[in-house]
Amino acid sequence: MIRIKVILLLFFCTFINAQQVDDFITKAIKSHPSKVIDSLARVTSVTSFEAAKNYYILGKCHAYLNQEEIAFNYFIEAKKSFEILGEIHYEKQIALEAHKTIASQEHFEHYGNTLFKEYQKYADSVNISLYKAYAIKELAVNAYYEFDIENATNFKVLDSACTILKTAISYANKTNNDLVKVKLYSNMSVFKNTMQQYDSARYYLDKSKVHIDKIDDAYELYGYYHNYANSYLSEGNYEKAVTYFLEAKTKVPYYKDKAVRRIYQQLAASYDSLNNNVERRKYEKLFREFDDKIKDREQNVRMHESLVKYDVEEKDEEISSLRIVVVNLKEYWIWYSVVLFLVFLLALYSFIRWKKVDRKRKKIKQEKEGIEAEHEKTIKQLEKVKQLVVEEHIILKNKVKMPLAELMYIKSEDHYLNFVPHEGKNQFLRGKISEILEELPPNFVKCHRSYIVNKNYIKSNTYKSITLQTGEEIPVSRSFKL
């Protein structure tokens, strides 16, 4: 039984891998999209599946012709049709196609990622290498567009994008799909070119060329030469850039006006850098002609309208679902209210109990810390008193015994200490005032940063000084108190 389940699972995965929307697109469709559009317009009697398939083909044909707003609408129709038929794998792939159509527009980042997130969620759920490769590729591209070319100071964002793309490549290498490998290697070359790693950029382009030769795709071949030209243009090798731009011009499909417009713009820039004004003016003129023909702004407006319409329809479906929930809430609102009130009371009781316990815990902790501090202070004082009672003197570094009862004060002078007794000779030794204070009993206090005084010899004190029984005055710090 287990073996049968494994076989069925493998069959299911193979079946999904085999069902790709790309399989609907033949070489004839790629070569003559306008003719395909005309022929499909005359088709009337088809099955629901064929109708959904035709919507998708029409979307691709219009995308080939740079008519993205029409392509988007056909993709959405195809997506809805496949969803009704229960063909979820086709539906989600077309969601990605619709997203890529949006992403081909200027300022596409303002349009959101609703369709991509839908595809990404599906790719994660089925865990198929090809789907994962495409999903992660889009994440890498999104990361790449976060890089500000004009104000860039480092390439951390691009390093992150490259890391993401390498993950996508690892998934792509688990498949037999050459197209996804071409796209991933081409993307990596663009990333590396932006990072000014031109040799690395061309290395990835050469890797993409191996797979381009297998699929025989004219547009991807154009992309190969165009990206090669870009790498030389960025590197400042304008003569080679011109050579590859002209080669790319011969490979671009006749209906790809946006690609041709881009080549003309870059050729004008290259010839300008070569100080060839004749060729520069020629290609600037050609660029303007194609720019007027394409009219990006109008197309962007129509694309935005189509996307808004799609989002509104999606929101309407969500609202319908919410209305059902609201109806159920109205029907059982009394029971729901009672349950919520009981839950609230329980939460409130638990919170009050927790606050009381927490206050007691904090109070006990503070008391414990206070007792421990007092205990430690008492131990230190007892140690000092013990030393006073037992020894009644301290032994200095020069082996001299200094009677504590005779020691009036100690003065710090640079790195030395001056021990001043009531009677007898002063002792002047190297040492730190903080270290000697630890060896003295509690009746010796630090009254100033440079003085330790024996309280038994204090006659009087003010906020400025201490007067000893001998009449000497010792300065005190502002914070000192007897």
Side-chain angles (χ1 to χ4, degrees):
M1 185 65 181
I2 295 174
R3 290 177 64 186
I4 293 173
K5 288 182 179 178
V6 172
I7 292 169
L8 288 173
L9 179 62
L10 290 171
F11 173 77
F12 177 72
C13 291
T14 304
F15 182 68
I16 290 181
N17 271 308
Q19 292 181 315
Q20 300 297 313
V21 288
D22 290 337
D23 295 339
F24 297 151
I25 308 301
T26 63
K27 192 170 183 179
I29 293 174
K30 290 181 181 179
S31 302
H32 301 285
S34 298
K35 291 181 180 179
V36 174
I37 292 171
D38 293 339
S39 64
L40 288 177
R42 295 191 292 271
V43 175
T44 54
S45 179
V46 292
T47 64
S48 298
F49 183 86
E50 288 172 334
K53 174 182 170 182
N54 288 344
Y55 282 136
Y56 172 70
I57 293 172
L58 284 167
K60 289 294 284 188
C61 289
H62 284 287
Y64 290 144
L65 296 170
N66 301 312
Q67 298 167 352
E68 284 88 356
E69 80 287 352
I70 303 173
F72 178 82
N73 289 323
Y74 275 118
F75 285 144
I76 295 303
E77 286 300 321
K79 181 179 180 297
K80 291 177 180 177
S81 299
F82 279 122
E83 182 181 11
I84 293 169
L85 292 170
E87 301 283 0
I88 305 300
H89 42 285
Y90 287 139
E91 179 212 342
K92 302 305 179 186
Q93 290 177 66
I94 294 172
L96 180 63
E97 289 285 350
H99 167 76
K100 289 192 288 187
T101 305
I102 296 168
S104 67
Q105 302 301 293
E106 292 180 356
H107 309 298
F108 73 92
E109 65 275 7
H110 300 310
Y111 296 158
N113 286 317
T114 305
L115 289 159
F116 169 65
K117 288 177 180 177
E118 183 180 340
Y119 176 81
Q120 183 186 19
K121 184 177 179 181
Y122 178 70
D124 290 338
S125 67
V126 296
N127 198 27
I128 293 173
S129 296
L130 180 61
Y131 293 2
K132 294 282 285 185
Y134 274 120
I136 298 171
K137 168 188 172 294
E138 292 301 318
L139 291 174
V141 172
N142 288 344
Y144 171 79
Y145 280 116
E146 290 178 9
F147 179 70
D148 185 354
I149 295 176
E150 299 297 327
N151 302 308
T153 56
N154 61 62
F155 296 126
K156 287 184 178 179
V157 172
L158 294 180
D159 284 335
S160 175
C162 286
T163 301
I164 297 169
L165 199 60
K166 285 177 182 177
T167 304
I169 289 172
S170 69
Y171 278 105
N173 287 333
K174 296 176 184 177
T175 73
N176 296 321
N177 191 299
D178 289 296
L179 180 60
V180 70
K181 294 172 186 176
V182 170
K183 293 184 179 299
L184 289 170
Y185 287 134
S186 296
N187 283 138
M188 184 64 84
S189 76
V190 172
F191 293 4
K192 293 294 183 180
N193 192 59
T194 307
M195 296 170 74
Q196 300 171 15
Q197 298 176 11
Y198 307 116
D199 289 336
S200 181
R202 291 190 282 269
Y203 164 78
Y204 281 105
L205 284 174
D206 290 338
K207 287 179 76 72
S208 74
K209 183 66 164 56
V210 174
H211 300 284
I212 292 171
D213 291 340
K214 293 180 182 179
I215 60 176
D216 189 24
D217 188 304
Y219 188 70
E220 296 298 339
L221 187 61
Y222 142 75
Y224 166 77
Y225 285 107
H226 184 254
N227 286 332
Y228 237 100
N230 272 330
S231 72
Y232 283 119
L233 179 64
S234 301
E235 194 175 20
N237 191 338
Y238 303 112
E239 289 184 357
K240 276 198 172 184
V242 167
T243 301
Y244 277 97
F245 279 133
L246 292 174
E247 185 65 26
K249 174 64 178 70
T250 66
K251 300 294 187 290
V252 64
Y254 69 93
Y255 48 79
K256 278 292 185 181
D257 290 343
K258 283 188 178 181
V260 176
R261 177 183 64 176
R262 180 63 174 155
I263 290 174
Y264 287 156
Q265 183 184 36
Q266 291 172 309
L267 277 169
S270 300
Y271 280 120
D272 183 50
S273 299
L274 291 169
N275 296 318
N276 188 333
N277 291 324
V278 174
E279 292 297 316
R280 174 182 61 79
R281 285 193 293 270
K282 169 187 170 183
Y283 285 107
E284 281 180 349
K285 181 182 177 183
L286 288 169
F287 167 74
R288 286 193 296 271
E289 289 174 358
F290 271 74
D291 195 45
D292 293 339
K293 177 182 176 183
I294 293 168
K295 298 179 181 178
D296 284 305
R297 183 170 295 179
E298 293 178 14
Q299 185 159 235
N300 285 347
V301 170
R302 292 195 295 268
M303 170 64 80
H304 182 67
E305 290 172 352
S306 298
L307 185 62
V308 168
K309 180 182 176 183
Y310 171 74
D311 283 340
V312 168
E313 290 175 354
E314 290 289 302
K315 295 299 180 186
D316 285 343
E317 291 182 9
E318 291 179 14
I319 290 169
S320 298
S321 300
L322 287 172
R323 280 175 181 161
I324 296 171
V325 174
V326 170
V327 169
N328 290 333
L329 283 173
K330 286 181 178 178
E331 188 175 351
Y332 300 105
W333 72 272
I334 295 176
W335 289 106
Y336 291 146
S337 300
V338 171
V339 171
L340 286 173
F341 182 68
L342 291 174
V343 170
F344 170 75
L345 288 178
L346 180 62
L348 182 63
Y349 173 75
S350 300
F351 177 74
I352 293 171
R353 289 283 298 170
W354 175 78
K355 289 294 287 184
K356 285 183 177 179
V357 172
D358 189 56
R359 276 198 299 269
K360 287 182 180 179
R361 181 181 61 78
K362 288 180 179 178
K363 186 177 179 182
I364 292 170
K365 184 179 178 182
Q366 289 175 352
E367 291 176 352
K368 181 182 177 183
E369 290 174 351
I371 292 169
E372 288 176 349
E374 286 294 326
H375 176 70
E376 188 177 347
K377 184 178 178 181
T378 303
I379 292 295
K380 288 181 178 179
Q381 289 178 346
L382 286 173
E383 287 295 327
K384 289 182 179 180
V385 172
K386 179 180 177 183
Q387 180 182 351
L388 174 64
V389 172
V390 175
E391 298 182 359
E392 296 184 347
H393 65 267
I394 59 172
I395 299 175
L396 304 178
K397 288 183 178 181
N398 61 358
K399 308 301 180 182
V400 172
K401 289 185 179 181
M402 175 67 69
L404 293 172
E406 289 294 319
L407 184 59
M408 287 197 301
Y409 65 90
I410 302 169
K411 181 181 179 182
S412 173
E413 299 178 14
D414 293 329
H415 298 293
Y416 291 85
L417 298 174
N418 187 6
F419 294 81
V420 182
H422 180 249
E423 294 180 356
K425 185 180 177 182
N426 291 12
Q427 298 293 327
F428 199 69
L429 302 169
R430 189 177 181 86
K432 294 182 179 179
I433 197 166
S434 58
E435 292 176 354
I436 196 65
L437 183 62
E438 294 178 357
E439 299 181 26
L440 298 171
N443 58 307
F444 285 86
V445 293
K446 186 179 179 182
C447 61
H448 186 269
R449 65 182 179 182
S450 300
Y451 286 88
I452 296 174
V453 65
N454 186 342
K455 291 196 288 186
N456 296 335
Y457 283 93
I458 296 175
K459 181 179 180 181
S460 62
N461 72 289
T462 65
Y463 70 94
K464 288 185 177 180
S465 64
I466 288 173
T467 303
L468 301 179
Q469 292 176 2
T470 59
E472 288 185 71
E473 287 192 356
I474 294 174
V476 296
S477 60
R478 293 181 180 179
S479 60
F480 174 73
K481 291 182 181 181
L482 276 175

